[in-house]
Amino acid sequence: MSSVHVSRHARIRMMAAVATVCALSAAPLAHRAVAADTPAYTETYRPQFHFTPEKNWMNDPNGLVYYKGEYHLFYQYNPNGNSWGDMSWGHAVSKDLVHWEELPLALSHDDEEMVFSGSAVVDWDNTTGFGTKRNPPMVAIYTSAYKNGGKQAQSLAYSTDRGRTWTKYQGNPVIDIGSTDFRDPKVQWYEPTKSWLMTVSLSAEHKVRFYSSKNLKDWESQSEFGPAGATGGVWECPDLFPLAVDGDKKKIKWVLVVNINPGGIAGGSAAQYFVGDFDGKRFIADDKGTYTPPTGTVVQDFEGAGFGEWTTSGTAFGQGPATGAVDGQGAVTGFDGKGLANSFHGGDGATGTLTSPSFTVSSPYLNFKIGGGRHPHEAGTVLDRTPPEGTVLADFEGGTYGGWTATGDAFGSAPAMGTLPGQQQVSGFLGGGLANTFRNGDAITGTLTSPEFTVDRKYLNFLVGGGNHPAGSANPTAVELLVDGQVVRSATGKDNEALNWASWDVGGLAGKTARIRIVDDNTGGWGHINVDHVMLSDTQARPVSQETSVNLLVDGKAVRSVTGADSETLDWASFDMRPYVGKEARIQILDMNTAGWGHVLADRFTAADKPAKSVVQRADWADYGKDYYAAVSWENAPGGKRYMIGWMNNWAYGQSIPTSPWRSAQSVPREMALRTVDGQVRLTSKPVGSLESLRHKRPATVSDVTVKSTSKPLTGRGVKGKALDIEATFSLKDAERFGLKVRTGAGGEETVIGYDATTQEVYVDRTRSGAGDFHSTFPGVQAAPLKAKNGKVELRILVDWSSVEVFGGSGEAVITDQIFPDPSSTGVEVFAEGGTATLDRMRAWQLRSIWR
């Protein structure tokens, strides 16, 4: 992703970047404090063999090029803070893709533009005239993100001293199509036509455009590719390169990588790819054929005049099935037959539920079609929107702040009446007014402080939304409770414009005199806060559901949930019902959202023996984890190798991860290849070979360990650790799931790296991996398809202080996930569930730090 703007158009882009709705925490985030005298690169979560800048925010890798013995890694960087903003190009170099030297800032933002993502080339023949043939220039091709109006265009900068200093081209931009969604140019030399080739994204259109040039300055459009594959988010950071299939240099295929956010395979950000042919002008993806879902017994197809025995609440679903779009709605497609459940009756402002009768689960899977908004179910939320009874301290109605005192400009002279200019839709507040600091975008700051009041109830409840910048961080957007001038409670938004309830237990402060202070001290992405209905009550306010989802209810609780993808096109989804066979269940379709895309579509619920697969599941992914995005590859690498690296984070929660004074890491560089797997040509990856130079000489070795429905710690010298390189081979027996647990320890912490023999998937479960309460979508399980070979499963696992990278089989199944365990959690265990499995052999190397 190129970055997040602060202009109106930028806010629209940010909406795509962080569209996930989440419940809002009422407690301050549990960031582990880092002592001021902690040496750099030894902080609690600091990666030891992944690149991180010494301080500040980083996202996309940029300008990947090899020149004169150095691999250059430029990257999106905020030189002024630990959250997104002031986007510039940071710079690091390496001789081996493992050890990195951070260099001074390369390309800086200025008063006119931010420097978004792009690429770099060595202009060997000096086609630009920026250097000489004896000293060819290094040329950066980047996206100018203009601060006035949000337009994006492609520009040049050049260096004649191996990338140490840079000059922006006076003739910028070199391509300008007047778009606000035109970014991330990847440029390479295309030898057959003796010209430069640019691959660039038309992000909102889900297209990639190809340009050709003789001199990097004058470009001619050649063709476009897309929409195709997964299109549930913006397309960004494209890359195009050739690879030999199965090592046969006579059989060359081209790979087009298109990063997508949100809408990735694991939710949020991800790297999609296509395999096909390229003739210098056009990329044509290989035909993967049509998809036929599994057959089964139809439970509900909404073909009747009414909902039958299904019951409704609210008004959103109308009196019966819709026959497509309803009044005010765009065209609805992808449903079967004539009818479907459609909650757009009354527009996005209406809410309601549609619930099936109770049934006994008897089939392994429930398949169905779903569309509409991407507003996921949140555990612990309630459907009742009625606020608790109590004493209202501020409802921000009546056009004034009453006795509240404002400083700075962010709060203006009076409450906002909802959404402000340039802001995505604000929802969840009560009445007509609220405190909203998105005035002049995120660029201004201020505080709003209540008069003194006496704490005389058990709870202090309020509605909060906006940016996730906790109190105590460098630039907070937070609600604070002050007693004797000290902050004793705080809460923040979750990078979402939907307000939801937060609640503080203030029973221990009874009789104290207090004030509420709302703080906006942030000018970066999501640098604002929304607050409403501050009240004292003897009842704790519970976060209200804001989902648009289909849920499976067992014992009254949602045990499975799927949401739409901000699309009026329905797509297949599936619930794994196997754990609930024999139990009573219900299907519930919920529309509890009143903002943009606040509706849900559903059709054709079918009990089946196999799961249906969505377009996203049928797409091809370079990585199936949550934390691999903006993946691009190096140009000019020695030996014709193709190395790729990705941003090891996710826009859903990227600005909230609990690290300081830096935020974000890059993945381990990977060597890419095309291999035929089960008859299909797949992009595979393995860690760069030079990573093995970090291994301590002698690995810890474990052989022939059989476990049955249990977990067994692996002991012995060198097995434990916070930075490990593990190679493991398992034999399938009759266990349903088996594998390794890493970073086990404090309070039951563990990161599970397993294989599910029934679904034939490798998976990472980070639900108990340590700190994860900073965002509701962080905990979870990520899975990648992987078939066993000759009854064996082979895994390569890289464990760092705050991440795991899992490579299954021949590298066709890769999962990259961040984790934030306690430093004392260093154990490794082998486990099996539902039967027996054998760990044939495991070798585990301790890895040395690249920083010491």
Side-chain angles (χ1 to χ4, degrees):
M1 179 171 176
S2 302
S3 306
V4 185
H5 310 236
V6 288
S7 69
R8 175 181 182 276
H9 295 289
R11 296 301 305 151
I12 293 172
R13 182 178 182 199
M14 188 59 179
M15 175 176 66
V18 287
T20 304
V21 170
C22 52
L24 296 166
S25 172
L29 298 184
H31 291 261
R32 290 193 174 96
V34 176
D37 58 352
T38 300
Y41 301 101
T42 66
E43 302 92 346
T44 300
Y45 299 127
R46 175 74 76 168
Q48 295 300 292
F49 57 90
H50 294 82
F51 176 76
T52 50
E54 182 177 359
K55 62 180 182 179
N56 295 338
W57 168 267
M58 173 181 68
N59 53 288
D60 306 358
N62 297 153
L64 306 183
V65 68
Y66 179 82
Y67 183 51
K68 290 189 175 181
E70 291 180 324
Y71 292 93
H72 290 264
L73 168 63
F74 300 91
Y75 47 89
Q76 290 287 279
Y77 184 65
N78 179 0
N80 300 316
N82 201 15
S83 59
W84 185 94
D86 293 338
M87 295 318 298
S88 307
W89 276 25
H91 190 195
V93 292
S94 174
K95 295 185 183 302
D96 62 359
L97 290 174
V98 173
H99 299 86
W100 294 96
E101 176 189 359
E102 186 175 354
L103 296 178
L105 193 69
L107 299 176
S108 179
H109 72 102
D110 57 32
D111 291 341
E112 293 184 358
E113 69 176 14
M114 285 192 283
V115 182
F116 276 13
S117 289
S119 51
V121 297
V122 178
D123 185 11
W124 296 103
D125 293 329
N126 194 33
T127 63
T128 56
F130 292 153
T132 65
K133 286 200 173 183
R134 292 189 63 181
N135 184 27
M138 187 182 294
V139 182
I141 307 93
Y142 67 91
T143 295
S144 290
Y146 293 105
K147 295 180 178 180
N148 184 8
K151 186 177 67 174
Q152 298 175 0
Q154 313 319 317
S155 294
L156 306 179
Y158 59 92
S159 171
T160 55
D161 59 0
R162 296 183 303 124
R164 268 55 179 182
T165 60
W166 290 83
T167 302
K168 290 182 180 179
Y169 174 46
Q170 292 298 308
N172 285 339
V174 294
I175 309 180
D176 181 359
I177 62 171
S179 172
T180 57
D181 287 289
F182 177 51
R183 53 184 174 267
D184 311 338
K186 178 64 188 289
V187 175
Q188 61 191 288
W189 181 255
Y190 187 70
E191 183 61 28
T193 58
K194 298 288 192 292
S195 58
W196 298 103
L197 169 68
M198 179 191 291
T199 307
V200 64
S201 178
L202 301 173
S203 299
E205 299 176 47
H206 307 116
K207 291 181 179 180
V208 167
R209 182 176 290 176
F210 302 103
Y211 286 88
S212 182
S213 173
K214 295 295 184 181
N215 60 7
L216 293 175
K217 300 175 182 176
D218 304 298
W219 294 89
E220 181 180 341
S221 178
Q222 301 295 305
S223 68
E224 293 179 355
F225 172 80
T231 57
V234 292
W235 277 18
E236 299 185 310
C237 301
D239 196 4
L240 178 71
F241 50 85
L243 285 174
V245 178
D246 299 321
D248 184 355
K249 294 184 179 179
K250 294 182 180 179
K251 187 178 181 182
I252 300 296
K253 281 285 187 179
W254 286 76
V255 179
L256 176 63
V257 175
V258 180
N259 291 272
I260 180 174
N261 175 69
I265 182 63
S269 316
Q272 178 182 203
Y273 73 89
F274 303 89
V275 176
D277 297 304
F278 182 71
D279 63 5
K281 289 192 173 184
R282 285 179 170 78
F283 175 82
I284 299 175
D286 292 348
D287 186 358
K288 296 175 67 176
T290 57
Y291 175 69
T292 302
T295 57
T297 302
V298 176
V299 175
Q300 171 64 277
D301 58 9
F302 300 112
E303 293 300 295
F307 290 123
E309 295 181 356
W310 289 47
T311 57
T312 62
S313 71
T315 60
F317 289 93
Q319 300 301 308
T323 56
V326 299
D327 290 347
Q329 189 175 23
V332 173
T333 60
F335 60 99
D336 288 358
K338 296 180 181 179
L340 77 156
N342 183 343
S343 75
F344 198 76
H345 293 83
D348 282 332
T351 60
T353 64
L354 178 60
T355 308
S356 77
S358 178
F359 63 94
T360 303
V361 177
S362 58
S363 295
Y365 296 93
L366 180 69
N367 301 328
F368 54 95
K369 287 192 162 184
I370 186 171
R374 183 190 280 112
H375 304 289
H377 170 74
E378 296 289 343
T381 56
V382 297
L383 302 185
D384 185 0
R385 292 173 172 268
T386 307
E389 294 184 357
T391 304
V392 177
L393 301 179
D395 59 9
F396 301 115
E397 305 294 325
T400 74
Y401 285 123
W404 290 54
T405 304
T407 67
D409 301 318
F411 290 88
S413 59
M417 301 305 291
T419 308
L420 292 169
Q423 188 175 25
Q424 58 178 285
Q425 187 177 350
V426 176
S427 63
F429 59 100
L430 299 177
L434 75 156
N436 179 347
T437 67
F438 194 80
R439 299 171 191 270
N440 192 27
D442 287 327
I444 53 179
T445 61
T447 66
L448 183 65
T449 306
S450 76
E452 288 188 337
F453 62 91
T454 300
V455 178
D456 59 0
R457 300 290 182 94
K458 187 174 182 182
Y459 295 101
L460 202 156
N461 303 319
F462 52 95
L463 291 162
V464 62
N468 187 345
H469 307 285
S473 62
N475 302 103
T477 53
V479 183
E480 300 172 340
L481 179 64
L482 305 179
V483 175
D484 298 328
Q486 301 298 310
V487 178
V488 296
R489 302 283 190 278
S490 68
T492 187
K494 290 290 186 182
D495 290 347
N496 197 290
E497 302 293 17
L499 286 77
N500 214 329
W501 286 109
S503 184
W504 294 324
D505 185 339
V506 293
L509 300 173
K512 296 279 189 179
T513 299
R515 293 181 188 267
I516 302 281
R517 181 171 64 194
I518 308 172
V519 180
D520 175 358
D521 191 33
N522 198 292
T523 60
W526 284 104
H528 65 280
I529 189 167
N530 309 321
V531 179
D532 193 24
H533 211 79
V534 183
M535 64 178 302
L536 287 163
S537 176
D538 288 323
T539 304
Q540 182 179 19
R542 297 281 301 278
V544 174
S545 168
Q546 296 173 333
E547 64 199 278
T548 53
S549 62
V550 174
N551 295 345
L552 177 69
L553 305 182
V554 176
D555 296 328
K557 295 181 179 180
V559 296
R560 294 281 188 269
S561 183
V562 173
T563 188
D566 290 350
S567 172
E568 304 290 22
T569 299
L570 286 81
D571 193 12
W572 284 106
S574 182
F575 287 154
D576 183 352
M577 309 286 279
R578 292 173 299 168
Y580 312 108
V581 169
K583 295 189 174 183
E584 293 299 301
R586 294 178 186 268
I587 302 164
Q588 188 169 59
I589 310 172
L590 297 97
D591 173 1
M592 302 304 296
N593 197 286
T594 61
W597 286 105
H599 62 281
V600 63
L601 314 170
D603 193 23
R604 200 162 185 85
F605 288 85
T606 306
D609 292 333
K610 294 183 179 181
K613 292 185 177 181
S614 66
V615 169
V616 172
Q617 291 171 310
R618 303 194 308 268
D620 291 317
W621 302 93
D623 194 297
Y624 287 78
K626 279 270 199 178
D627 295 307
Y628 189 76
Y629 188 61
V632 286
S633 64
W634 268 272
E635 295 299 319
N636 299 355
K641 300 282 191 180
R642 183 61 58 170
Y643 299 115
M644 180 169 277
I645 194 170
W647 178 48
M648 200 160 64
N649 210 338
N650 190 310
W651 278 113
Y653 47 73
Q655 298 194 88
S656 306
I657 60 172
T659 65
S660 179
W662 84 101
R663 188 170 278 132
S664 290
Q666 302 293 347
S667 74
V668 163
R670 301 166 184 185
E671 182 178 345
M672 312 306 292
L674 284 176
R675 291 192 174 90
T676 304
V677 180
D678 296 326
Q680 181 185 346
V681 177
R682 299 277 301 278
L683 183 66
T684 66
S685 60
K686 64 180 181 181
V688 61
S690 50
L691 186 71
E692 296 176 13
S693 68
L694 300 180
R695 290 173 171 177
H696 286 269
K697 290 185 178 180
R698 291 187 177 181
T701 303
V702 177
S703 300
D704 298 322
V705 178
T706 298
V707 285
K708 180 179 181 180
S709 301
T710 190
S711 184
K712 179 179 180 180
L714 296 175
T715 58
R717 184 177 180 182
V719 174
K720 293 184 176 183
K722 296 192 293 181
L724 298 170
D725 186 350
I726 299 172
E727 295 176 353
T729 302
F730 289 87
S731 285
L732 276 70
K733 304 293 185 182
D734 60 356
E736 296 176 358
R737 287 170 296 277
F738 57 85
L740 296 174
K741 298 178 180 181
V742 300
R743 300 300 306 269
T744 65
E749 285 186 356
E750 61 182 20
T751 297
V752 183
I753 299 163
Y755 184 77
D756 189 321
T758 58
T759 60
Q760 296 185 306
E761 293 176 319
V762 62
Y763 65 91
V764 173
D765 181 345
R766 66 177 182 189
T767 56
R768 298 175 298 280
S769 291
D773 59 352
F774 51 84
H775 200 278
S776 61
T777 66
F778 185 84
V781 181
Q782 284 66 248
L786 178 67
K787 291 188 176 180
K789 295 179 181 178
N790 301 317
K792 307 282 188 182
V793 173
E794 295 185 353
L795 301 175
R796 171 93 178 269
I797 303 166
L798 301 179
V799 181
D800 206 343
W801 286 14
S802 56
S803 66
V804 292
E805 290 166 283
V806 180
F807 300 81
S810 300
E812 68 269 26
V814 186
I815 299 174
T816 300
D817 274 352
Q818 294 181 95
I819 56 173
F820 299 103
D822 189 277
S824 66
S825 296
T826 61
V828 178
E829 301 180 7
V830 60
F831 77 93
E833 297 176 5
T836 300
T838 297
L839 174 58
D840 296 334
R841 178 177 171 83
M842 184 189 85
R843 294 190 295 172
W845 288 268
Q846 302 281 333
L847 294 184
R848 287 183 287 269
S849 173
I850 64 175
W851 306 118
R852 296 190 295 276

